Amino acid sequence: MRRSVFRFLSLAGVSLLGAYAGGLGGPNGAGGLGVSQAHAAGPPPAQTVLTNGYIYTVNTKNSVAQAIAVRDGTIVYVGTDKGARRFIGPATQVTDLHGHMVMPGLVDGHMHPLDGGRLLISCSLNYEALTIPQFQARISACLKDPKLNRPQGWLIATSWFQEAMQPAGTVLTKAALDAVDAKTPIIVKSSFFHSFLLNSAALKRAGITASTKAPPGGSIIHDKDGNPTGLLEDTAVSLVDSVLPAPTAEEDKTAAAAALAAMRKQGITTFLDAWALDPALTAFTTLQKQGQLTARAHFAVWVDPKDGADVPKVVSLLKTQAARYDQGPVSTAPSITVRNAKLFMDGVISAPALTGVVLDPYFVNKGTAEHPDWQPGTSRGPAPYFPPEVLAPLLQGITQAGFDPHMHADGDGAVRIALDAIEAARKADPKSTFRPAIAHDEMVSPADRGRYKPLDTVAVLSFQWEKPGPDTVDSGRDYLGPQRFADMEPAALLEQTGTRIAYGSDWPVDKLNEWFALKVGATRKNAPDIAPQYAGQLGTQPPLSRASVLRAITMNSSWELQQDKQTGSLEPGKLADLIILDRNVMQVPVDEIANTQVLLTMVGGKVVYSTGAFAPATDAPATDGPATDGPATDSPATP
């Protein structure tokens, strides 16, 4: 059915597109846009023109247009169908969108793509809520699977939803793994990537005993007799990394390619690797050099807490990695950017870890399981991984060297330390234009919510956490207390203070499902078929609007990555990073946003993914460059 942009004038937060090249004409369906109608004189023709669509621009007014034209990987026109005629030449591919929604490509401002790719080709517990027997059965099945890679005999399992173990409160030890196989070294990585479970054989291989000391920023859990239980927290996993066989370069390349395939299917056109180590930088650089990089790749180089006090050493590391891997300013084709530094301030605020740094103590049950009495305890989590006296000069050194700090902070104590250090860096160099990010921000003190905007700090939130679930209800509510639980995941509370909110999936902490996350951001509710105890809305604060969640994953995350001049909105002069959707996420019932399918993903004017609805089906880039140059002429749309 033909659609006119005028139908959408009444949408909240959306205005009719005005001052674009070509002016504002009346609605005109693509049926009247044949090549023969192109003007003899006018601008050079575009390679691609999309017409008769709902073009959601994410410009400053969230304007909606009908048509968009792309030349040499850059948007040259956004406006009406009539205005687009000037850009049609004999070789222009003109596609009738049949009313489908087009929007900027998704910019994921915080993920771990190599780990995500490894997960796709490894033993996975699939983020499921498991009993101990079910957990053991999954591990046993992986041990018997001949297709799984077993480097030097190790079994590495991922996506263990530790906080969802059943019954609630279950804490695993090495005994659960030893009962399956005590001789094969096994390590199970929690989906949060902050807890790791080892069996006795793995502990022995790693040399971890009762006397082993954890590195800064980590902990080894011991039983009442002082022996390691098999649980390691945060940087303590480095004790295992030193003996765990590293994947080969070819294996990493395969994992990176799998990650890119998953991303382009979701509509991701730019991402930030928020814990970048050499294997990831090497793997994605290799793919880029082979013409197989299908998203703009940014990397935040990890700063080890033990090096925090040695500012020259950290700055030297950042500069060395940038010199080795950074490929210069963002251009039409996807490339590698190294301009961020990653610092972990704490762990996670969910039980059983409770490694998030908090201002007031976690609650403990001073009653019984049958008659609980939750009262403040004594623990405020571990010491911050970068204490204030270390973080402030470190951030000044990082920012003065031209890098943007990207800090993981779950607890309100960690958030405050991060904000204090940013404030000190701003005062030390008032003219600096660095763009600091604090990721997760699951708890923010009321006194600190208004500090983000004046400090020009972006909060990078993972919307999928803003729902009732095992990690928020079972492992959070009682341990945080009623007030902090009510304010948990404070997206709206931050937005009300003018905080710029960006989105980061944190994949593979969760499954890569951007559209479910956006739906949660706009509802604060779980899936409709979720268990009854997780029904309803999380907390009492309102959800974000649809316009806000879309801006978070486009313009605001582009700003975070200093790429907002090139991407994040559909405007003339910007790169043609866009996606076509199977539904209008601004109009469908809000729960249906979770079911959105991407029909086509374009990066720099090149189609890198297509279902076949608007261009020939493709999910594999060419080895000598990105895929096709644009949608096919008059391709049929799917229902």
Side-chain angles (χ1 to χ4, degrees):
M1 180 175 65
R2 271 184 65 191
R3 298 188 182 187
S4 164
V5 71
F6 293 103
R7 290 182 56 191
F8 311 117
L9 274 169
S10 62
L11 286 175
V14 177
S15 64
L16 185 66
L17 191 66
Y20 275 116
L24 181 62
N28 190 352
L33 280 174
V35 171
S36 63
Q37 292 176 304
H39 295 296
Q47 280 99 14
T48 300
V49 172
L50 308 180
T51 66
N52 193 27
Y54 182 99
I55 316 292
Y56 188 72
T57 65
V58 197
N59 65 5
T60 57
K61 297 182 179 180
N62 290 331
S63 302
V64 174
Q66 289 177 303
I68 185 168
V70 176
R71 183 195 309 122
D72 298 330
T74 299
I75 298 168
V76 294
Y77 174 80
V78 181
T80 64
D81 288 346
K82 181 179 179 180
R85 293 175 182 172
R86 299 187 302 127
F87 295 87
I88 298 173
T92 303
Q93 293 180 333
V94 183
T95 298
D96 187 336
L97 292 167
H98 298 281
H100 278 75
M101 182 173 179
V102 176
M103 63 172 284
L106 307 186
V107 178
D108 193 314
H110 183 111
M111 62 157 54
H112 310 286
L114 186 61
D115 285 321
R118 288 170 175 168
L119 176 152
L120 296 173
I121 56 177
S122 69
C123 173
S124 173
L125 303 187
N126 203 34
Y127 309 91
E128 294 180 9
L130 302 171
T131 63
I132 292 179
Q134 290 170 333
F135 173 90
Q136 292 170 322
R138 293 295 186 88
I139 298 298
S140 178
C142 288
L143 285 167
K144 297 173 183 177
D145 188 345
K147 299 188 297 295
L148 291 178
N149 184 30
R150 296 271 300 281
Q152 296 182 25
W154 282 78
L155 176 69
I156 303 170
T158 62
S159 305
W160 166 40
F161 198 172
Q162 179 189 24
E163 293 74 16
M165 288 296 299
Q166 299 297 312
T170 296
V171 178
L172 294 187
T173 68
K174 60 188 176 184
L177 292 175
D178 287 348
V180 179
D181 190 334
K183 296 182 178 180
T184 299
I186 302 172
I187 179 171
V188 183
K189 300 181 179 182
S190 79
S191 58
F192 283 9
F193 278 81
H194 288 268
S195 298
F196 309 84
L197 181 65
L198 282 66
N199 68 348
S200 295
L203 288 169
K204 184 176 181 181
R205 286 252 192 129
I208 298 174
T209 66
S211 60
T212 304
K213 294 185 177 180
S219 58
I220 301 170
I221 308 303
H222 297 83
D223 61 21
K224 58 183 178 61
D225 297 320
N227 297 311
T229 68
L231 273 173
L232 307 180
E233 301 290 351
D234 292 299
T235 61
V237 76
S238 63
L239 301 171
V240 187
D241 289 339
S242 62
V243 298
L244 194 65
T248 66
E250 191 61 29
E251 288 169 342
D252 279 342
K253 178 185 168 185
T254 299
L260 288 168
M263 281 191 257
R264 57 183 176 258
K265 187 175 182 180
Q266 288 279 314
I268 298 170
T269 55
T270 296
F271 67 87
L272 171 70
D273 182 335
W275 190 355
L277 302 173
D278 273 325
L281 285 157
T282 299
F284 284 99
T285 299
T286 299
L287 291 174
Q288 189 277 334
K289 290 180 178 179
Q290 295 175 354
Q292 298 182 61
L293 186 65
T294 54
R296 307 184 192 282
H298 293 249
F299 294 88
V301 176
W302 177 60
V303 178
D304 193 325
K306 68 179 175 57
D307 297 328
D310 192 342
V311 178
K313 180 179 180 179
V314 171
V315 171
S316 176
L317 167 68
L318 297 174
K319 288 183 175 180
T320 297
Q321 295 296 75
R324 182 180 300 166
Y325 294 106
D326 188 90
Q327 296 176 343
V330 172
S331 58
T332 305
S335 60
I336 305 294
T337 301
V338 182
R339 192 171 48 219
N340 297 84
K342 172 62 178 291
L343 301 92
F344 282 96
M345 296 303 304
D346 64 351
V348 297
I349 60 173
S350 298
L354 300 176
T355 51
V357 176
V358 292
L359 294 172
D360 296 313
Y362 289 104
F363 280 45
V364 295
N365 184 6
K366 296 185 177 181
T368 63
E370 295 77 17
H371 302 286
D373 179 21
W374 290 90
Q375 298 292 335
T378 58
S379 173
R380 289 180 170 84
Y385 301 165
F386 292 92
E389 64 275 12
V390 170
L391 185 64
L394 178 60
L395 249 59
Q396 292 174 41
I398 288 172
T399 57
Q400 289 169 6
F403 294 87
D404 290 334
H406 187 98
M407 293 176 281
H408 166 117
D410 268 22
D412 51 6
V415 169
R416 177 167 293 178
I417 294 170
L419 289 169
D420 287 347
I422 293 168
E423 185 173 11
R426 293 283 189 213
K427 289 180 179 178
D429 188 2
K431 296 182 179 180
S432 176
T433 58
F434 75 93
R435 297 184 180 182
I438 301 178
H440 310 320
D441 314 79
E442 293 195 86
M443 291 169 49
V444 181
S445 168
D448 291 323
R449 292 173 196 156
R451 300 178 66 193
Y452 288 75
K453 182 178 180 180
L455 292 175
D456 218 4
T457 298
V458 60
V460 185
L461 307 184
S462 298
F463 295 146
Q464 69 273 13
W465 301 346
E466 299 172 4
K467 65 186 187 307
D471 51 331
T472 53
V473 175
D474 301 337
S475 299
R477 177 179 55 197
D478 294 332
Y479 298 92
L480 300 179
Q483 186 56 56
R484 288 187 299 194
F485 179 70
D487 291 348
M488 191 180 188
E489 307 294 346
L493 299 177
L494 289 172
E495 186 181 57
Q496 289 165 9
T497 67
T499 300
R500 180 184 280 107
I501 294 173
Y503 173 78
S505 65
D506 210 14
W507 181 54
V509 168
D510 296 289
K511 292 180 181 179
L512 186 62
N513 192 339
E514 312 284 71
W515 301 98
F516 175 74
L518 294 176
K519 171 262 181 187
V520 174
T523 63
R524 294 181 71 85
K525 295 180 180 179
N526 213 317
D529 58 351
I530 197 66
Q533 66 267 34
Y534 306 129
Q537 183 172 314
L538 178 67
T540 58
Q541 59 181 295
L544 297 177
S545 68
R546 302 189 202 204
S548 289
V549 297
L550 292 186
R551 183 167 293 274
I553 201 171
T554 53
M555 270 304 299
N556 288 355
S557 44
S558 291
W559 185 93
E560 169 203 347
L561 301 178
Q562 300 222 27
Q563 194 177 282
D564 50 309
K565 300 298 183 183
Q566 294 87 19
T567 67
S569 62
L570 301 180
E571 302 182 75
K574 287 197 169 186
L575 296 171
D577 291 6
L578 58 83
I579 54 179
I580 304 175
L581 308 180
D582 71 338
R583 68 199 66 203
N584 189 322
V585 296
M586 291 298 292
Q587 293 183 327
V588 296
V590 67
D591 283 335
E592 290 186 16
I593 295 174
N595 302 321
T596 299
Q597 299 294 313
V598 176
L599 302 178
L600 182 143
T601 302
M602 177 184 286
V603 181
K606 303 287 185 179
V607 175
V608 298
Y609 171 79
S610 172
T611 62
F614 289 102
T618 181
D619 189 28
T623 56
D624 58 351
T628 58
D629 285 324
T633 302
D634 294 327
S635 297
T638 55

